[in-house]
Amino acid sequence: MTGELWWVPSAIVLGVVCVVVALLVGLARRRTSARERALAEATAERSRVASIALVRADDLVEANADELAFAVAQFGEGATRDFAAALALSTRQLKEAFALQQKLDDGIPDSETERRRWTEQIAQLADEATTRLQAQTRDFSSRRGLERDAPLLLEKLQRRLDRVADRVAAGAASLARLSRTYSASALASIGDNAGRAQAALGEAHAATDAAAAQLAADTARPVGDQLQAAEHGLFRAGKLLDAIETGEDRLHLGFAALARALDAADVELAEARTLRDAHEEPDARVDLNRVIAEADAALGELRRSARLSDPAADLAGLRETMDGLDVIRSDARNRQLRLDNARGALSGALLAVRSQLTVTRDFITGQPGQVGADARTRLAESERQLTLALAETDPVAALDGARRAMTLATDADALARFDVR
């Protein structure tokens, strides 16, 4: 009886385990099935998109074959060579795409990986062919519009030629005027712009003359290339002339900045001269004299009336000169400040060492025979250092001597009191 009861809980546990396993297996199968359905749907969508792209590209190739024939008749084979090459390449890509589509449609089983790869290749080939041919179609549509409006465009170009010719003359006059103020290095970036603009204008003139002659002859030959050449020539001339105007503004701004920098340099030089005249150290005055003379010479050269300026280079050179002056001036200021500070501290140091010497001397004198030679030696050296400090003309050296005397005096006092104890 007991054995039978023992098997009852075991059976229940086993049943629960089986149920759980069955649930897990069912859930895994449902998840796998859901993934498979999602993957199949994605593959079907990619296949649909690729088929649409393939059909669109095939229609476009057919249409562009006729378009190319019309373009050759209108513009000639030379002007349509790129169009023909684009059509040939797109046709080859389309054949490759159809071959891949056939592999997808035949009865031979394909793996899912192969079907995805071939579908992506079909879409890519069709899109590339479509994009290439659409670009060519837009280009030749633009050319046809250009040919259609050629008389009006030619008239506008001829009016622009006159305006640009006036600008070329003004640009040449500006460069001539600038050359009287600025050096060749300052004008290097724009110095030959008027000549280059004149050459570009000449090319534009030649192109418009050729287009006008062709239109006057009433031939079927296109004039779009001549009109575009004229447009490009006018564009290049305009950019070159714009650069002259921009360069002139830049030079004038630089020249004004140089004038302000020269005025500021005058102020710095005046401060340097004041410092030199008041400085106590001969070496510092010599150094200041040297950099002041260099700065004076540099400013004089920059202000020379007949001199041609390069504002950017002149500003850089002036700044370098004034930086050298500033280094020496700062050093001289620090040295003078050190002297002034030492002079201010010296009187206090002398008062302190004299007081300490008096205290120490009185203590030793009041203890005859009890203070040893060490204390008395330091006292004597302290008095000697004080004498040297009083005779020193350099306040820094005098302060150092007074401080040495103070150290010796305090040492002498400590040794004396130790001897007495």
Side-chain angles (χ1 to χ4, degrees):
M1 183 67 178
T2 303
E4 292 175 358
L5 290 176
W6 181 84
W7 281 105
V8 172
S10 300
I12 292 173
V13 171
L14 181 60
V16 170
V17 170
C18 291
V19 170
V20 171
V21 170
L23 289 173
L24 292 175
V25 171
L27 180 60
R29 286 177 177 174
R30 284 195 296 274
R31 288 180 176 175
T32 301
S33 177
R35 284 197 300 271
E36 290 176 349
R37 284 197 303 273
L39 184 59
E41 290 173 0
T43 301
E45 177 61 20
R46 284 197 295 270
S47 179
R48 186 184 68 82
V49 170
S51 296
I52 293 173
L54 186 58
V55 171
R56 184 172 63 245
D58 190 39
D59 289 341
L60 193 59
V61 166
E62 293 295 331
N64 273 266
D66 295 335
E67 179 71 14
L68 176 59
F70 295 147
V72 170
Q74 184 175 8
F75 299 104
E77 291 186 357
T80 57
R81 189 173 292 109
D82 291 342
F83 193 177
L87 180 60
L89 178 56
S90 296
T91 301
R92 288 196 300 272
Q93 287 184 313
L94 207 58
K95 289 180 179 179
E96 184 180 349
F98 276 121
L100 292 171
Q101 186 65 48
Q102 177 60 34
K103 294 173 70 173
L104 291 172
D105 295 341
D106 61 22
I108 302 174
D110 307 313
S111 69
E112 188 62 29
T113 300
E114 288 176 331
R115 296 187 67 82
R116 283 199 301 271
R117 186 175 71 250
W118 293 340
T119 300
E120 294 296 337
Q121 288 176 343
I122 290 169
Q124 181 179 356
L125 290 167
D127 288 342
E128 288 179 0
T130 298
T131 301
R132 185 182 302 106
L133 291 176
Q134 285 175 341
Q136 291 295 326
T137 302
R138 285 194 300 270
D139 179 56
F140 277 90
S141 295
S142 175
R143 289 192 180 194
R144 288 194 178 92
L146 184 63
E147 297 298 335
R148 183 180 61 251
D149 301 332
L152 177 61
L153 294 174
L154 178 61
E155 182 182 351
K156 290 181 178 179
L157 284 170
Q158 288 169 335
R159 287 198 298 269
R160 286 175 60 194
L161 285 171
D162 294 336
R163 292 197 297 270
V164 173
D166 292 340
R167 287 192 66 197
V168 170
S174 295
L175 289 173
R177 183 179 65 256
L178 292 172
S179 67
R180 293 192 289 271
T181 303
Y182 300 105
S183 65
S185 61
L187 297 172
S189 62
I190 59 173
D192 60 346
N193 277 27
R196 293 166 61 194
Q198 183 62 55
L201 182 63
E203 295 173 5
H205 263 299
T208 54
D209 290 345
Q214 199 155 302
L215 287 174
D218 196 23
T219 65
R221 292 170 57 192
V223 296
D225 289 343
Q226 289 90 337
L227 295 179
Q228 287 183 341
E231 182 71 40
H232 292 161
L234 288 172
F235 176 79
R236 291 199 309 275
K239 296 295 288 183
L240 290 165
L241 297 170
D242 290 343
I244 293 176
E245 296 171 2
T246 303
E248 181 174 6
D249 292 341
R250 185 180 65 252
L251 287 170
H252 291 334
L253 289 173
F255 195 76
L258 177 62
R260 293 192 297 271
L262 287 169
D263 292 340
D266 287 335
V267 175
E268 293 186 47
L269 273 173
E271 294 175 356
R273 291 189 183 96
T274 300
L275 178 61
R276 176 200 61 192
D277 296 341
H279 211 288
E280 299 178 40
E281 291 188 2
D283 291 345
R285 290 197 297 272
V286 170
D287 290 341
L288 283 168
N289 256 332
R290 174 177 55 79
V291 293
I292 288 171
E294 292 173 355
D296 264 332
L299 266 64
E301 172 60 23
L302 291 174
R303 286 191 167 117
R304 185 166 54 85
S305 59
R307 182 179 181 276
L308 297 178
S309 175
D310 183 342
D314 292 345
L315 275 169
L318 177 61
R319 188 66 268 159
E320 184 178 355
T321 298
M322 299 313 293
D323 285 346
L325 172 69
D326 190 57
V327 169
I328 300 300
R329 187 178 56 175
S330 297
D331 180 64
R333 280 175 175 168
N334 291 335
R335 291 162 73 175
Q336 184 61 50
L337 181 62
R338 185 165 173 258
L339 291 172
D340 294 340
N341 291 339
R343 187 175 290 107
L346 180 59
S347 58
L350 291 174
L351 179 63
V353 70
R354 283 173 177 145
S355 175
Q356 183 63 53
L357 282 171
T358 299
V359 169
T360 304
R361 173 61 67 183
D362 289 348
F363 181 79
I364 292 174
T365 302
Q367 309 293 331
Q370 297 186 48
V371 177
D374 289 345
R376 296 171 188 271
T377 300
R378 282 171 173 74
L379 180 63
E381 180 61 20
S382 175
E383 291 172 338
R384 189 180 77 83
Q385 289 293 333
L386 177 59
T387 301
L388 294 174
L390 292 170
E392 182 61 64
T393 58
D394 181 356
V396 176
L399 180 61
D400 291 342
R403 287 171 174 169
R404 286 193 298 272
M406 184 63 179
T407 299
L408 289 164
T410 54
D411 287 349
D413 186 78
L415 289 170
R417 293 179 189 280
F418 180 78
D419 288 345
V420 171
R421 285 199 300 273

